[in-house]
Amino acid sequence: LEATTPLFNALHRVPKGGEMYTPLIAVVDYAILTFISRVKQRITKIVDGKTAFQLVGANEKDKSKLSGAVESRKAYAMLLHEYGVLDDDNVNIRTPITDAIDPIDPSANDTPSNQSKTNSAPAPLPEQSTEDSALEQEVTNLLPLLQFREHNYGRNLVCCTDDELMKAACLAHSLIKFAGLLERRLKYRRGGWRRTTTNSLRDAIASIRLKGLHMAKFCRIDMLCQTVKRMSQICKSAALSARDSVRLPSCVNATGEYLATASDNLRDASGNIITAYALSSLEQYIPLLLMQSVRCIARREVQADLTRAGIEALDRTGSVIYRDLKGATSFEGSFWDDAAAAESFERSASFVALLEMDMPELEKFYKENPDEFTESDFRLMFTIDCPRRKGDLRRWGSVKAQLGGGASVSGSVRSSRTSRSSRAS
């Protein structure tokens, strides 16, 4: 940045079309393109072969599938807001070059439409209904992570080392900030590009910002992969079959320790904004992973004879991981969502509590709350052997018939959280 300061200062002083203008533009373009080329090499060195990069995709301009779903989340809007990125600044939208004169503010009596053209503001945060829909879409694109057996319970997931994740977070923060600084040098104070700013310069700045935002997405998905890699081991823990005492699965403590360490490392490397984004939504995904572990046990994907101590261990797992995650995200500017965390962890606790019921209690709960969980989840609960009941699929068929042929009769439209659970199961 310091090396190019004289070039940018001269850019606005040299007459456009003058003898020195074209060579100066060529030097600036070359400097920016060289920088972008080196950034690409550094990014490739970090993300090559990583599971998160395969999920997010290599093309930062691609808005389909997971990348598009990630951008529709509230956390992404908060990320843009924290960095002061406006709608006009973001990704592929380019603001037209304005006249050399600074724009004049409209009068107070002007029409609202004209007022809005001049007064730019950060994009509003998504409403709750939009956020629920975005989360459902994101979960749909992350199904490979939620199917534990497909990645051999985390063993086939390739994640960043601590050093690589710190470098990725630092790069994300630096590129977004750098793009903003370059942009301010090429814009009027009141907004709008200067006449001396070429299309190639604007495209280069947009490319730098896109790469920074893409690396921020990579950090967030890699953090989720790290969490899945550890928590997918819960269903294989010997603690679930313990008979004498209640013991937490060792991977639970490992997850908590990793989250605390990662939070400290990322804040040291990139500051609070990227760290907050990287840890965002874990308060919704961790309960989903705990529920997925219960499904794996119910489907007998692993050899685990559940005991009362094992069910108690699952119940305590939710409490412990909530405490650890809350501690890891308790810093200024965190994107932690109290309402989402409470809803998600209460839901997973209710799901684990189904394992403690005897068959009459389970039947009663199903009759009174047929839409609390998906039909496939209830079916699993009727087939699993638990300390207080034996699986009996015929009882499931009988209760289902009493409800009129399906669990969804009493509520034809399930909530978005049930839809997410259905996709995962």
Side-chain angles (χ1 to χ4, degrees), residues 234 237-249 297 305-317 352 355-356 386-388:
I234 289 177
S237 173
L240 303 184
S241 302
R243 300 186 179 279
D244 300 330
S245 60
V246 177
R247 294 182 288 110
L248 281 180
I297 297 170
D305 296 326
L306 270 177
T307 62
R308 294 194 178 189
I311 297 174
E312 179 66 20
L314 285 173
D315 187 50
R316 290 188 186 180
T317 292
V352 173
L355 299 173
E356 300 176 343
C386 297
R388 298 184 59 198

Side-chain angles (χ1 to χ4, degrees), residues 229-265:
K229 188 179 184 72
R230 290 161 175 80
M231 290 201 63
S232 58
Q233 295 292 316
I234 289 177
C235 55
K236 302 187 74 176
S237 173
L240 303 184
S241 302
R243 300 186 179 279
D244 300 330
S245 60
V246 177
R247 294 182 288 110
L248 281 180
S250 59
C251 57
V252 174
N253 292 325
T255 303
E257 291 172 2
Y258 175 77
L259 291 174
T261 302
S263 176
D264 293 338
N265 290 341

Side-chain angles (χ1 to χ4, degrees), residues 268-283:
D268 288 341
S270 61
N272 287 9
I273 301 176
I274 293 295
T275 305
Y277 183 67
L279 295 172
S280 64
S281 297
L282 286 181
E283 67 269 20

Side-chain angles (χ1 to χ4, degrees), residues 61-116:
K61 294 184 180 180
D62 184 11
K63 305 303 176 189
S64 61
K65 298 182 180 179
L66 179 59
S67 185
V70 167
E71 291 191 9
S72 61
R73 296 294 309 277
K74 178 182 177 182
Y76 188 78
M78 293 173 70
L79 175 72
L80 298 182
H81 179 80
E82 290 295 330
Y83 279 108
V85 178
L86 309 180
D87 280 341
D88 289 343
D89 300 332
N90 194 20
V91 289
N92 297 324
I93 302 177
R94 294 192 323 196
T95 307
I97 299 176
T98 60
D99 295 332
I101 303 174
D102 287 347
I104 300 174
D105 291 333
S107 68
N109 297 326
D110 205 348
T111 59
S113 59
N114 287 337
Q115 289 274 4
S116 62

Side-chain angles (χ1 to χ4, degrees), residues 146-162:
L146 301 177
Q147 305 300 330
F148 295 164
R149 188 161 55 180
E150 290 186 8
H151 51 71
N152 195 16
Y153 302 91
R155 290 185 176 87
N156 296 338
L157 296 180
V158 183
C159 303
C160 289
T161 63
D162 291 345

Side-chain angles (χ1 to χ4, degrees), residues 54-348:
Q54 296 171 4
L55 291 170
V56 175
N59 185 5
E60 59 264 16
K61 294 184 180 180
D62 184 11
K63 305 303 176 189
S64 61
K65 298 182 180 179
L66 179 59
S67 185
V70 167
E71 291 191 9
S72 61
R73 296 294 309 277
K74 178 182 177 182
Y76 188 78
M78 293 173 70
L79 175 72
L80 298 182
H81 179 80
E82 290 295 330
Y83 279 108
V85 178
L86 309 180
D87 280 341
D88 289 343
D89 300 332
N90 194 20
V91 289
N92 297 324
I93 302 177
R94 294 192 323 196
T95 307
I97 299 176
T98 60
D99 295 332
I101 303 174
D102 287 347
I104 300 174
D105 291 333
S107 68
N109 297 326
D110 205 348
T111 59
S113 59
N114 287 337
Q115 289 274 4
S116 62
K117 290 178 183 178
T118 305
N119 301 325
S120 297
L125 298 180
E127 296 181 358
Q128 187 58 46
S129 58
T130 306
E131 173 67 4
D132 290 341
S133 176
L135 176 58
E136 181 181 348
Q137 183 184 359
E138 188 176 81
V139 170
T140 302
N141 287 282
L142 287 171
L143 284 180
L145 288 182
L146 301 177
Q147 305 300 330
F148 295 164
R149 188 161 55 180
E150 290 186 8
H151 51 71
N152 195 16
Y153 302 91
R155 290 185 176 87
N156 296 338
L157 296 180
V158 183
C159 303
C160 289
T161 63
D162 291 345
D163 187 55
E164 288 174 333
L165 188 57
M166 291 171 66
K167 288 180 179 179
C170 180
L171 197 56
H173 171 75
S174 300
L175 290 175
I176 300 173
K177 291 289 287 186
F178 182 58
L181 291 172
L182 289 179
E183 197 169 67
R184 283 196 289 274
R185 287 184 171 184
L186 298 173
K187 280 188 171 183
Y188 295 107
R189 291 183 179 179
R190 294 177 180 270
W193 296 96
R194 293 177 181 266
R195 269 189 168 184
T196 51
T197 305
T198 62
N199 288 345
S200 60
L201 278 177
R202 285 184 287 158
D203 290 340
I205 292 173
S207 177
I208 293 172
R209 176 179 283 117
L210 274 173
K211 292 185 185 306
L213 294 173
H214 198 64
M215 287 304 293
K217 296 178 196 174
F218 170 80
C219 291
R220 176 172 173 256
I221 300 302
D222 187 78
M223 183 62 67
L224 180 58
C225 290
Q226 299 272 12
T227 306
V228 172
K229 188 179 184 72
R230 290 161 175 80
M231 290 201 63
S232 58
Q233 295 292 316
I234 289 177
C235 55
K236 302 187 74 176
S237 173
L240 303 184
S241 302
R243 300 186 179 279
D244 300 330
S245 60
V246 177
R247 294 182 288 110
L248 281 180
S250 59
C251 57
V252 174
N253 292 325
T255 303
E257 291 172 2
Y258 175 77
L259 291 174
T261 302
S263 176
D264 293 338
N265 290 341
L266 290 179
R267 278 183 288 154
D268 288 341
S270 61
N272 287 9
I273 301 176
I274 293 295
T275 305
Y277 183 67
L279 295 172
S280 64
S281 297
L282 286 181
E283 67 269 20
Q284 294 170 300
Y285 278 104
I286 285 179
L288 183 59
L289 296 176
L290 183 57
M291 293 174 65
Q292 193 68 3
S293 297
V294 175
R295 296 186 184 107
C296 290
I297 297 170
R299 288 195 291 260
R300 296 178 178 82
E301 292 183 10
V302 293
Q303 296 296 326
D305 296 326
L306 270 177
T307 62
R308 294 194 178 189
I311 297 174
E312 179 66 20
L314 285 173
D315 187 50
R316 290 188 186 180
T317 292
S319 306
V320 171
I321 206 70
Y322 176 90
R323 179 199 65 198
D324 292 340
L325 179 60
K326 181 68 173 175
T329 55
S330 296
F331 54 85
E332 185 178 356
S334 171
F335 292 175
W336 172 272
D337 189 333
D338 275 317
E343 179 184 357
S344 299
F345 277 94
E346 286 175 8
R347 180 170 171 75
S348 67

